[in-house]
Amino acid sequence: MEKRPTSHDVAHLAGVSQSTVSFVFTGRAGISEATREKVLRAAAELNYRPNLAARSMRTHRTGRLAVVVPIATMNPLTLLSGAISAARDEGYVVEVVSLPQEPDEREARFAEVRDSGQYEGMLSFTPLPRAATTGDAADDPAPGTVILSVGEFDDAMHMAGALTDARPVDEMIERLAVQGHRRFLHIAGPQDFPSAQSRRRAYLDTVARLGLESIGVIDGDWSGRSGETAIEGLPSEAPPLAVIAANDVVATGAIRAATRRGWRLPADIAVTGWDDHPQSAFLVPSLTSVSQDRERLGAYSMHRLIAAVRGGEPPTKPDGLLTVIWRESTESPR
């Protein structure tokens, strides 16, 4: 049976002491970034994982972190993937803890997890129940437990954090205006979504700032049918026109309706989407869209939690979480 690599093996490969390896995986201060990276590279090469049970006995730390999500389906699973990978790279075990939707049950379950003493830190992408911030001294979190709510989603799992940044809408409209587009239409998402509200505001503000013509904002429901209905209801003299759709699915419906009306893309009508769905690059024409790096956002959020657990400096928020992917659907108008 193959021998499991030890911290001594990692120390030998990295050219450091065994105590340095231990300090790296327990988050001890005073380790340089260069030394830390050298130890982590050696650990990855050997497929080393610290013995959490032994570490817990020595340091009174569990080496475990929790990511808190509601029971409702969480669509952007790449957030979880990024968070879990980041934690594992730092030597932690991560468990995903689900919370019920009913408020009293949520609070009871959260308090149970918080006070279990199993986790050094808890990361939540959604607002936490009152149990996270209220209660007398007896209800305080277990010693050493750090709780971080990053607020990337609301209770209904609607995006409410970094990914509601609507600056790509500005960028798309500005480039389309440079190409010669003067008439615009926004097919919006449901207005109970913070992301839909943000994109609607960005559309209206940018059109007004550039002195462009908006022929309307049509509320939709993220469906292809809403995009199709919006284009079907336009007057025949609407083109040339640029359509800013709430997401790629809405944009797909808009493209279908425009094609059925005999409007050529992008000569008569340009269309943009959001989410950069895998199929969007293979539409005819391929769809300009906004790519969201949810995995990197998840990793950044987890690094924030780990920094808080270890008492270190928080990481710098990454740039480029949202990127416009320019494709054939937004070439110059006729």
Side-chain angles (χ1 to χ4, degrees):
M1 183 175 180
E2 187 177 351
K3 179 184 175 183
R4 176 177 177 175
T6 67
S7 60
H8 178 78
D9 299 324
V10 176
H12 179 74
L13 181 59
V16 300
S17 68
Q18 192 169 1
S19 61
T20 297
V21 174
S22 176
F23 292 161
V24 168
F25 280 99
T26 56
R28 181 78 67 88
I31 303 297
S32 70
E33 188 62 27
T35 299
R36 179 177 170 278
E37 289 296 328
K38 186 160 52 175
V39 170
L40 292 177
R41 281 198 301 270
E45 184 175 337
L46 293 173
N47 196 27
Y48 167 77
R49 288 291 181 268
N51 186 320
L52 296 180
R55 186 172 84 179
S56 179
M57 293 178 65
R58 292 194 311 270
T59 66
H60 304 291
R61 292 180 175 271
T62 67
R64 304 167 77 88
L65 302 172
V67 177
V68 181
V69 296
I71 288 178
T73 301
M74 185 177 181
N75 292 325
L77 293 177
T78 45
L79 265 176
L80 280 178
S81 174
I84 291 170
S85 294
R88 287 177 175 169
D89 288 345
E90 297 289 344
Y92 288 93
V93 169
V94 180
E95 294 183 11
V96 178
V97 177
S98 61
L99 298 181
Q101 292 300 296
E102 202 281 321
D104 290 341
E105 293 180 7
R106 286 189 78 202
E107 291 194 18
R109 173 59 177 155
F110 179 84
E112 176 188 354
V113 174
R114 179 200 63 186
D115 299 335
S116 68
Q118 296 183 51
Y119 307 105
E120 294 183 43
M122 300 175 65
L123 172 65
S124 177
F125 290 112
T126 65
L128 292 173
R130 290 193 305 273
T133 55
T134 62
D136 56 30
D139 295 324
D140 285 344
T145 301
V146 175
I147 299 172
L148 176 64
S149 176
V150 294
E152 298 303 341
F153 295 85
D154 62 20
D155 287 322
M157 292 307 292
H158 300 165
M159 284 191 298
L163 296 182
T164 63
D165 184 352
R167 281 178 291 180
V169 171
D170 302 356
E171 180 183 345
M172 290 188 291
I173 294 175
E174 287 173 354
R175 176 158 167 172
L176 288 164
V178 168
Q179 291 177 346
H181 285 281
R182 289 296 176 265
R183 308 186 77 198
F184 287 79
L185 170 72
H186 180 39
I187 309 175
Q191 291 305 294
D192 58 335
F193 282 71
S195 56
Q197 297 172 14
S198 180
R199 291 168 205 173
R200 180 189 185 119
R201 285 194 301 270
Y203 168 82
L204 292 172
D205 291 347
T206 306
V207 166
R209 175 170 58 84
L210 298 178
L212 303 170
E213 177 189 359
S214 173
I215 65 171
V217 174
I218 301 175
D219 290 335
D221 58 5
W222 303 121
S223 71
R225 182 56 187 160
S226 67
E228 192 174 41
T229 300
I231 298 302
E232 288 174 345
L234 294 179
S236 58
E237 65 273 12
L241 175 69
V243 176
I244 308 298
N247 67 8
D248 286 10
V249 178
V250 174
T252 301
I255 289 173
R256 172 179 169 81
T259 301
R260 294 178 65 181
R261 295 192 66 170
W263 296 345
R264 296 176 298 160
L265 281 87
D268 298 319
I269 180 170
V271 179
T272 71
W274 194 291
D275 290 335
D276 195 28
H277 192 282
Q279 73 176 5
S280 297
F282 301 98
L283 298 176
V284 180
S286 56
L287 178 64
T288 290
S289 189
V290 178
S291 174
Q292 304 174 93
D293 197 338
R294 292 185 172 111
E295 186 167 357
R296 194 149 59 100
L297 177 59
Y300 162 69
S301 300
M302 180 56 74
H303 283 304
R304 285 177 58 193
L305 175 65
I306 292 172
V309 166
R310 293 176 172 176
E313 290 294 321
T316 302
K317 185 175 181 178
D319 293 324
L321 291 174
L322 299 172
T323 306
V324 179
I325 309 298
W326 295 99
R327 297 195 180 101
E328 299 163 346
S329 65
T330 51
E331 294 179 357
S332 298
R334 181 174 56 191

